[in-house]
Amino acid sequence: MSALPWYEDVSPGRGTLPPRAWYAASDAAALSLNGSWGFRLSPTADTEDDSFAAPGFDASAWDAITVPGHWVLQGKEREYGGPAYTNVQYPFPVDPPRVPTENPTGDHLRRFDLPDAWPADGGTVLRFDGVESCARVWLNGTELGEFKGSRLAHEFTVGHLLKARDNVLALRVHQWSSGSYLEDQDQWWLPGVFRDVTLLHRPTGAPGDFFTHASYDHTTGTGTLRVACDVPGRVTVPELGLDLATGESATLPVEPWSAETPRLYEGELTAGGERIPLRIGFRTVAVENGVMTVNGRRILFRGVNRHEFHPEHGRTLDLATMREDVELMKRHNINAVRTSHYPPHPAFLDLCDTYGLWVIDEGDLETHGFEDLAWRGNPVDDERWTPALLDRAARLVERDKNHPSVVIWSLGNECGTGAGLTAMARWIRDRDPSRLVHYEGDRSCADTDVHSRMYAPHAEVDAIGRRADEGPEARRRLPFILCEYAHAMGNGPGGLSEYQRLFETYEHCQGGFVWEWIDHGLVHPVYGHGYGGDFGEEVHDGNFVCDGLLFPDRTPSPGLLEYKKVIEPVRITPDGPGSVLVANGHDVVDLAHLAFTWSFLADGETLATGPLDVPPLAAGESARVTLPTAPAHPAGAETLWTVRALLAHDTAWAPAGHEVAWGQIPASAPAPAPRGATGARPVRTADRIALGPAVFDARTGEPLTLGSLPVTGPRLDVWRAPTDNDEGAPWQPDERHGPLWRDLGLHRMRHRVDEIALDHDSLTVRTRVAPAARDIGLRTTYRWTSDGTALRLGVEVAPEGEWRVPLPRLGVRLGLPAALGRAVWYGAGPGEAYADTRAAARLGRWEAAVDALRTPYLRPQENGARIDTRWLELTSASGREGVRVEGEPVFSFTARPWTTEQLDAAAHRTDLVPGDTLWLHLDHAQHGIGSQSCGPGVLPAYRLDAVPAAFTLTFTPVDRA
């Protein structure tokens, strides 16, 4: 067999310079080569013809694309192919290191002149910050070399080849290479030059690399600084009065860096005619008695996994988008990022240093597709691949080693185990013993300093917290994190509060990282945003790529609002009559940066507000705070206090007044309401029955009108359009309720009327609701009464047969005119909430357009429920006509202009077309949400089992004409 072409060779490449530290800028000259490049796409990897790299090549017939960018996201109507999404599967035959002959290949050309002031001395390097999946490079007709490692930086020496004018940079990029086997990272496959290309002048004698060591001793309050450099130089830090030779150390009092206090000292490294800015953060990472500490303090990760993603540009992100991500994280109480599953653009880590985020910096490595093959041929356990793995480890560490935000190095993700990973861990520890090493797939923890799991159920986390889990004894002595948990796919995730209680209970359970930050919905000409399969892929994993806390346009989802509440660093809870307990859950800071306020509500209306004096509690402390005397309020009203913790001053990420935390403290329960809606007599005439404000169909017992409003139903309803978490993941051992519900036929229930009975003050309708082909059912009795103005419905449900699965929901559904487009309610809000996703819902009086009650998940599914509703008014825009619904005591409601069946059938939001009926769901309860799209299912407390139930609703027509 002939030698393999370079792109199939297992080596990391040739001709590149050793990896080195990244810094934003120095006083040395730099020239960005971003912009418009000539582009030609070939369907196969032609390695013989490299004539395009010659300086005189005529590329006038070529197209133009933008660099940085992915070629499959450019051009007209996907003329350069399309994106493809897979989670685990490789989108090509698994035959390492070979790839298909059908290997789209992009030839790129960039002509450029040097600036007139470009220095003549020293040298120049050409830097590529990210190219997928590999590249071969020429400058002015001379081949420089080639490289693999898509999310890694590569540099070439080019000073001897440069001309003042008409330089020609040529690049051949193959979509597939041996490196693709190492980059199976649950994301879109997007080839191209997607990060910056830069020409960097290197003055004579300038540093090749440097390493800033800045530790902190919390017992003395001093920091020690030493900057190692490969050439002699000097380090100055004016604020600290330091002027040191490289390699020398100095110890002096400093303020430490942390995610809560991101204190950076500006310095400078001067060597060989170059002045390099330093941003120094003093901090020390350690493990003490099985607990990870930074600067002597236990830290708790309130984290997210973050892929780099933009709905139009894929993994090409500009600085403004990166800054938006960081500011959104800070505003939602997130304090940590795992860079899944590769090093991010280096500017993102600069932002983490500046704003304050703990970072697990992950290597550009995943071989997940081998798991389906029982890990046969897995590169991480094949010594031929070890040089490539070590190259990836070195390019991770050397580029990012000077960022104080990076506290853990991660070898990669979902690669099984093997000697290659051991070699990587050994190299990283030798190079940088100041940080911990992470890899989730090593259950023995032989190569790691952290015990890490993905999607461990709550019970397992509890056992780990008690150090009662099975496994190696040495593993129990390590800090524990969930590097992925709470899969944020579609509606959810549920169970966040229960996880957080475990993290706050057990010292060495140090938090986790929600999967993930953003839905990867690419802009689509038909669907708005598309997911796997929407771009013609043969092999794909559907909407599994839409599992983020942000929608693709970076709008926060209900899941992000829930997460913000669950992880808030201040706890505000009831503490007896007239007082509140305030607990500081920060890792480091006291509460001096916050201002506290109170408001007093009666039946959802705010009657008074004011400031609340809370002492500046140190981290970990709590105090009982007395509330003011309750203001005058209506007798019998439901009253409560809302206490809020707000930023007292502007920060880099939010203005003063931004809400960090809140709590509600009940003051008094409402007086029992009289059992109204009785006294009116039902009157039957022909095929109609009149009762109070309603007219019923005498054959079905269902109302036809309520006041002047036409009505359809209400009928008992148990079906919901399954969420991604209902559908579950096929690899999970627990029952997946969505498929079971459908198999049982709960989406096609039939209603049988057994009796319609009238007595002196009520209309009673007895029915049986059941699925075809099954011997189970729900005996349902509707009892209608009225006082002449309002209509009261009592519903009793009794299950028949053996119900082996919980119900999706239990309530009634009715149709109303679509013109009722305005909702006002007293209950929990303002956003959607379910039994196990309710932490962020606060009690109050809320108002919204009905259209705004829906949550636009990319794959349509159950959404928009408002829980703990005391009363709801749906009215027309004028407010003159509508209906008021009251619960005894509460209910949950959803309102939307399509049926649940239409919602269930839709694959994209564009499939949903509003009709002329508003469908209102009034639920006694719904099954919880859970996280089973990849994580654990619904906890037992939130199951909606089929048991006898009763609930009551009162309907009153609204007529303000």
Side-chain angles (χ1 to χ4, degrees):
M1 180 177 177
S2 60
L4 296 178
W6 72 270
Y7 58 87
E8 290 186 325
D9 189 277
V10 298
S11 71
R14 61 179 178 85
T16 57
L17 291 168
R20 64 188 181 108
W22 183 89
Y23 45 92
S26 73
D27 64 347
L31 177 64
S32 172
L33 298 180
N34 295 346
S36 181
W37 288 52
F39 180 73
R40 176 182 65 184
L41 183 65
S42 303
T44 60
D46 181 3
T47 59
E48 300 298 325
D49 181 12
D50 56 13
S51 60
F52 79 101
F57 181 81
D58 180 8
S60 59
W62 285 23
D63 297 333
I65 64 169
T66 299
V67 169
H70 303 281
W71 71 66
V72 293
L73 300 183
Q74 302 189 54
K76 299 177 181 178
E77 298 181 355
R78 307 293 182 196
E79 62 182 305
Y80 305 132
Y85 166 63
T86 62
N87 170 28
V88 175
Q89 304 173 92
Y90 288 103
F92 48 79
V94 180
D95 183 22
R98 306 301 304 278
V99 295
T101 300
E102 297 86 2
N103 188 358
T105 297
D107 292 333
H108 299 66
L109 282 177
R110 176 73 156 87
R111 295 184 180 273
F112 64 93
D113 298 333
L114 291 179
D116 292 339
W118 193 263
D121 68 319
T124 300
V125 299
L126 173 64
R127 183 180 183 91
F128 297 92
D129 279 307
V131 181
E132 183 177 326
S133 72
C134 64
R136 188 178 177 192
V137 189
W138 295 262
L139 180 62
N140 293 329
T142 298
E143 184 175 352
L144 303 179
E146 69 261 345
F147 60 85
K148 308 181 188 81
S150 297
R151 270 66 72 177
L152 303 167
H154 297 86
E155 292 181 331
F156 297 94
T157 298
V158 298
H160 60 295
L161 298 174
L162 287 172
K163 304 181 297 183
R165 297 287 181 269
D166 200 27
N167 292 281
V168 179
L169 175 59
L171 196 65
R172 174 163 282 167
V173 179
H174 301 300
Q175 177 159 9
W176 311 121
S177 69
S178 60
S180 302
Y181 285 100
L182 305 179
E183 297 171 3
D184 186 25
Q185 291 146 324
D186 185 12
Q187 61 181 337
W188 294 99
W189 297 88
L190 298 170
V193 185
F194 67 94
R195 288 186 186 158
D196 306 292
V197 182
T198 314
L199 209 61
L200 299 166
H201 177 245
R202 307 304 299 135
T204 302
D209 193 23
F210 65 94
F211 196 163
T212 300
H213 302 272
S215 60
Y216 180 74
D217 185 340
H218 66 279
T219 63
T220 63
T222 59
T224 300
L225 176 66
R226 178 176 65 88
V227 178
C229 188
D230 59 355
V231 297
R234 297 207 67 80
V235 175
T236 56
V237 187
E239 187 177 356
L240 296 176
L242 288 180
D243 187 343
L244 302 171
T246 52
E248 291 183 352
S249 297
T251 300
L252 70 170
V254 297
E255 299 173 47
W257 187 98
S258 73
E260 294 171 2
T261 56
R263 181 64 161 95
L264 294 172
Y265 291 89
E266 302 294 331
E268 191 171 75
L269 168 62
T270 304
E274 184 178 23
R275 304 167 73 90
I276 299 172
L278 302 177
R279 305 172 77 241
I280 302 162
F282 291 90
R283 56 110 186 93
T284 294
V285 180
V287 175
E288 303 173 20
N289 299 318
V291 176
M292 180 181 175
T293 63
V294 179
N295 303 329
R297 302 297 298 264
R298 174 194 186 248
I299 63 173
L300 181 60
F301 292 121
R302 301 169 169 93
V304 292
N305 285 273
R306 175 186 177 268
H307 269 297
E308 293 185 307
F309 181 76
H310 188 281
E312 295 178 78
H313 309 302
R315 278 187 290 282
T316 298
L317 268 62
D318 59 12
L319 184 62
T321 301
M322 291 185 252
R323 189 182 305 276
E324 181 181 3
D325 278 348
V326 170
E327 292 180 353
L328 278 169
M329 290 176 188
K330 295 290 287 188
R331 289 175 195 150
H332 290 86
N333 293 329
I334 290 164
N335 73 352
V337 177
R338 177 180 176 228
T339 68
S340 53
H341 297 293
Y342 42 82
H345 191 291
F348 178 77
L349 297 179
D350 266 356
L351 294 169
C352 294
D353 295 341
T354 300
Y355 285 83
L357 288 168
W358 308 115
V359 175
I360 297 180
D361 200 0
E362 193 148 85
D364 189 12
L365 177 61
E366 180 169 337
T367 64
H368 201 173
F370 287 91
E371 183 177 28
D372 289 345
L373 308 175
W375 297 108
R376 294 186 305 275
N378 186 11
V380 304
D381 202 24
D382 183 337
E383 64 180 9
R384 295 175 301 167
W385 293 80
T386 300
L389 302 183
L390 290 173
D391 180 73
R392 289 172 184 248
R395 293 187 184 278
L396 163 72
V397 172
E398 301 295 8
R399 193 196 74 169
D400 297 343
K401 58 182 177 282
N402 294 326
H403 290 283
S405 57
V406 176
V407 292
I408 297 177
W409 300 118
S410 181
L411 304 181
N413 185 66
E414 293 175 322
C415 298
T417 57
L421 291 168
T422 300
M424 293 173 71
R426 184 181 300 118
W427 186 93
I428 291 174
R429 286 197 179 102
D430 288 344
R431 179 57 174 147
D432 180 25
S434 71
R435 295 176 172 97
L436 306 186
V437 174
H438 167 272
Y439 174 64
E440 185 271 342
D442 178 15
R443 298 296 171 83
S444 72
C445 293
D447 293 330
T448 71
D449 304 310
V450 180
H451 178 199
S452 179
R453 287 280 284 113
M454 293 181 181
Y455 308 107
H458 299 78
E460 181 181 345
V461 176
D462 181 72
I464 291 171
R466 292 183 285 105
R467 302 183 190 272
D469 58 308
E470 298 179 357
E473 175 63 30
R475 193 175 73 185
R476 299 192 193 106
R477 297 193 293 269
L478 298 178
F480 172 74
I481 63 170
L482 283 168
C483 69
E484 294 180 21
Y485 83 116
H487 199 246
M489 185 178 180
N491 187 336
L496 284 170
S497 295
E498 289 74 16
Y499 274 120
Q500 195 67 19
R501 282 198 286 271
L502 293 169
F503 301 153
E504 294 175 4
T505 298
Y506 298 113
E507 189 178 36
H508 82 127
C509 290
Q510 297 193 244
F513 297 79
V514 167
W515 186 270
E516 64 166 308
W517 177 235
I518 187 169
D519 283 347
H520 299 203
L522 287 168
V523 169
H524 191 281
V526 176
Y527 304 133
H529 291 101
Y531 47 75
D534 289 340
F535 299 93
E537 308 102 301
E538 293 180 351
V539 177
H540 64 85
D541 285 294
N543 70 312
F544 202 73
V545 77
C546 298
D547 46 15
L549 294 169
L550 297 179
F551 295 121
D553 64 359
R554 285 179 160 74
T555 299
S557 74
L560 181 56
L561 302 181
E562 176 81 355
Y563 193 42
K564 175 187 177 180
K565 173 60 179 171
V566 167
I567 62 174
E568 61 187 7
V570 180
R571 295 284 184 228
I572 301 167
T573 54
D575 190 40
S579 65
V580 61
L581 183 69
V582 178
N584 182 1
H586 287 93
D587 297 330
V588 176
V589 300
D590 63 25
L591 298 186
H593 66 293
L594 298 176
F596 289 78
T597 67
W598 60 265
S599 58
F600 185 81
L601 287 76
D603 287 340
E605 298 281 0
T606 300
L607 300 185
T609 63
L612 185 66
D613 186 17
V614 175
L617 302 168
E621 290 185 346
S622 60
R624 184 174 184 264
V625 178
T626 301
L627 294 165
T629 301
H633 55 273
E638 180 180 20
T639 61
L640 74 155
W641 302 88
T642 299
V643 176
R644 305 167 68 214
L646 315 174
L647 287 179
H649 307 285
D650 292 347
T651 68
W653 45 271
H658 168 79
E659 185 179 87
V660 173
W662 61 273
Q664 289 193 312
I665 301 90
S668 64
R675 291 176 63 89
T678 59
R681 296 179 61 86
V683 178
R684 181 166 185 163
T685 57
D687 60 352
R688 297 287 185 267
I689 300 171
L691 177 61
V695 175
F696 293 76
D697 186 322
R699 295 165 301 175
T700 65
E702 294 181 356
L704 299 172
T705 59
L706 179 65
S708 62
L709 296 177
V711 177
T712 302
R715 280 186 170 190
L716 188 77
D717 190 24
V718 299
W719 180 243
R720 74 182 185 195
T723 68
D724 292 312
N725 287 305
D726 290 336
E727 299 289 12
W731 59 81
Q732 293 171 329
D734 298 334
E735 62 183 16
R736 297 159 54 209
H737 291 133
L740 289 173
W741 291 338
R742 204 178 298 276
D743 181 66
L744 196 59
L746 299 189
H747 61 305
R748 47 178 174 77
M749 301 289 275
R750 296 292 179 260
H751 299 252
R752 185 184 75 207
V753 177
D754 289 338
E755 182 184 12
I756 298 175
L758 282 70
D759 60 23
H760 72 284
D761 67 349
S762 67
L763 165 63
T764 301
V765 182
R766 294 180 174 86
T767 70
R768 187 175 190 270
V769 182
R774 303 292 178 180
D775 61 353
I776 59 172
L778 298 168
R779 286 283 179 184
T780 306
T781 301
Y782 309 94
R783 184 172 186 269
W784 297 93
T785 58
S786 176
D787 62 359
T789 301
L791 186 68
R792 188 171 184 264
L793 169 63
V795 181
E796 295 182 356
V797 180
E800 294 183 333
E802 186 176 1
W803 285 81
R804 297 173 179 262
V805 297
L807 296 171
R809 71 179 343 130
L810 182 65
V812 295
R813 175 173 72 169
L814 66 154
L816 296 165
L820 304 185
R822 177 175 170 267
V824 180
W825 74 98
Y826 171 38
E832 78 174 24
Y834 293 80
D836 56 349
T837 65
R838 58 176 299 146
R842 68 184 89 185
L843 192 61
R845 183 182 182 277
W846 310 102
E847 182 174 351
V850 168
D851 285 346
L853 297 176
R854 306 191 300 273
T855 303
Y857 296 112
L858 261 66
R859 187 192 73 80
Q861 56 198 272
E862 166 62 35
N863 71 88
R866 268 61 177 181
I867 62 171
D868 290 348
T869 303
R870 277 71 167 158
W871 57 259
L872 162 71
E873 280 193 6
L874 291 172
T875 61
S876 59
S878 66
R880 295 177 179 173
E881 62 177 353
V883 62
R884 179 183 175 99
V885 185
E886 297 173 70
E888 296 180 20
V890 297
F891 58 93
S892 170
F893 80 90
T894 60
R896 44 189 172 237
W898 38 72
T899 65
T900 298
E901 292 74 19
Q902 291 168 322
L903 184 65
D904 186 16
H908 297 87
R909 293 177 298 198
T910 51
D911 296 335
L912 293 168
V913 179
D916 57 5
T917 300
L918 176 65
W919 293 100
L920 176 63
H921 296 261
L922 303 169
D923 290 322
H924 173 62
Q926 276 208 47
H927 186 62
I929 297 297
S931 186
Q932 205 177 8
S933 52
C934 195
V938 173
L939 289 167
Y942 307 116
R943 284 175 58 100
L944 180 58
D945 288 318
V947 296
F951 56 95
T952 302
L953 300 163
T954 300
F955 302 86
T956 305
V958 173
D959 184 1
R960 299 187 176 104

